[in-house]
Amino acid sequence: TRQQLLHDLYSRGIWTGELTFIRPRDNKRVFCFSAISLLRDGNGNITDIISVNKDITTKRLAELTIRETEGRFRNFADAAPVMIWVSDEKDNIVYVNKCWEAFTGLGREQVVGHSRISCIHAADAEAIREKYQARLHSRQPVKEEYRLQDKNGKFRWVLDEAVPRFLEEGTFVGYIGSVIDIHDRKTAEEEIRFQVQVMRDVSDGIISTDLDCRIISFNKAAEDIYGFTADSIIGKPIHEAIGQQYISCTYEEAMQQLQANDCWAGELY
């Protein structure tokens, strides 16, 4: 305030700081860095007040624009339905959005200035650290899957995609990344892979078809029984490709029983 300025000036003989005012000539706001000091005569009496001012309007308006832009980005990021993080050139976090906070249970003050690696599963952390460090030096986009700890202390699979950030003159300033929860998809894929492996390893011949009776899977035991490779027979109608004969009923009767009871069992050759 003006009162504080005068107090500092008369108590210390000098005041430095920023001032702003509306310039009457063009009605524009001007920002100045000012140094105001008291001049005294030989007896120590104040004779004059001198003010030296440096116009910092361009710098201050640029900073205000940056803050406004950052504010808009934060509003956008906080409204996004995915986790968003921003890191500096040393890969330390400088920002996380509300979705990140809600997923991990960690506030911004707990993660800003630190690496994301601390939230990653120990089995994934070292590999992810090495890959990110390599990308950090080459300034290349990053796309990785790993397990991230949630607010309940459980680890869930996520997909993390990040791109490097540069200033207008080309200076590298870090990365911005988005993270989506893919845990349900990942576990479903693993379960399917497990089931496929089990099907390939069993001793019984297993064949599956679509609703048009076209073969979509043909395990190793089926290859041994029928003498066809899976590659040569997948996609073909089963009754044409194999030409098997039903002993206890006709093909049509077997299909009718399958549709009525959801299963059919019997002998064929």
Side-chain angles (χ1 to χ4, degrees), residues 132-143:
Y132 268 112
Q133 286 301 316
R135 295 292 192 278
L136 192 65
H137 292 299
S138 61
R139 315 293 194 248
Q140 295 297 312
V142 184
K143 183 177 181 179

Side-chain angles (χ1 to χ4, degrees), residues 4 17 43 49 69 76 121 149 152 166 194-195:
Q4 185 64 47
N43 298 320
I49 298 176
T69 301
F76 165 78
H121 194 288
Q149 189 172 28
N152 298 315
F166 298 95
F194 174 75
Q195 292 173 347

Side-chain angles (χ1 to χ4, degrees), residues 48-229:
D48 297 285
I49 298 176
I50 185 169
S51 175
V52 179
N53 301 285
K54 179 179 177 60
D55 189 343
I56 59 170
T57 303
T58 300
K59 176 184 176 182
R60 183 61 66 234
L61 290 179
E63 292 173 350
L64 291 173
T65 300
I66 290 173
R67 284 201 292 269
E68 182 180 353
T69 301
E70 289 178 345
R72 287 198 298 267
F73 166 76
R74 290 174 187 270
N75 290 336
F76 165 78
D78 282 339
V82 299
M83 290 175 271
I84 294 177
W85 56 267
V86 180
S87 69
D88 62 18
E89 72 281 2
K90 296 180 180 179
D91 202 31
N92 292 320
I93 292 293
V94 296
Y95 170 80
V96 292
N97 71 340
K98 289 182 178 179
C99 191
W100 171 282
E101 293 180 320
F103 181 92
T104 63
L106 299 174
R108 292 173 188 171
E109 69 282 355
Q110 295 174 276
V111 294
V112 169
H114 301 282
S115 171
R116 302 180 315 287
I117 299 299
S118 59
C119 301
I120 297 176
H121 194 288
D124 305 329
E126 189 57 34
I128 294 299
R129 187 198 311 275
E130 292 177 359
K131 291 178 181 178
Y132 268 112
Q133 286 301 316
R135 295 292 192 278
L136 192 65
H137 292 299
S138 61
R139 315 293 194 248
Q140 295 297 312
V142 184
K143 183 177 181 179
E144 297 294 343
E145 293 182 4
Y146 55 81
R147 285 163 288 184
L148 183 66
Q149 189 172 28
D150 68 12
K151 61 184 177 182
N152 298 315
K154 297 181 179 180
F155 287 92
R156 294 182 64 84
W157 282 101
V158 299
L159 173 64
D160 191 341
E161 296 187 74
V163 294
R165 299 186 297 125
F166 298 95
L167 297 179
E168 289 185 3
E169 77 276 11
T171 302
F172 172 70
V173 292
Y175 275 84
I176 178 171
S178 65
V179 182
I180 59 174
D181 186 338
I182 60 168
H183 189 78
D184 294 339
R185 189 201 79 189
K186 187 80 172 180
T187 52
E189 290 174 351
E190 291 177 349
E191 183 177 350
I192 290 172
R193 282 195 293 270
F194 174 75
Q195 292 173 347
V196 168
Q197 188 61 44
V198 169
M199 189 179 76
R200 296 175 73 87
D201 292 343
V202 296
S203 59
D204 294 333
I206 299 177
I207 307 170
S208 63
T209 71
D210 59 19
L211 296 180
D212 294 324
C213 294
R214 293 185 180 276
I215 299 171
I216 57 176
S217 68
F218 200 76
N219 75 341
K220 183 63 172 61
E223 289 181 333
D224 295 337
I225 293 172
Y226 292 101
F228 298 105
T229 64

Side-chain angles (χ1 to χ4, degrees), residues 23-44:
R23 185 166 55 199
R25 174 167 53 87
D26 52 14
N27 203 36
K28 289 185 178 180
R29 180 168 293 279
V30 176
F31 293 86
C32 290
F33 180 81
S34 298
I36 304 174
S37 57
L38 301 177
L39 297 181
R40 300 176 185 271
D41 60 20
N43 298 320

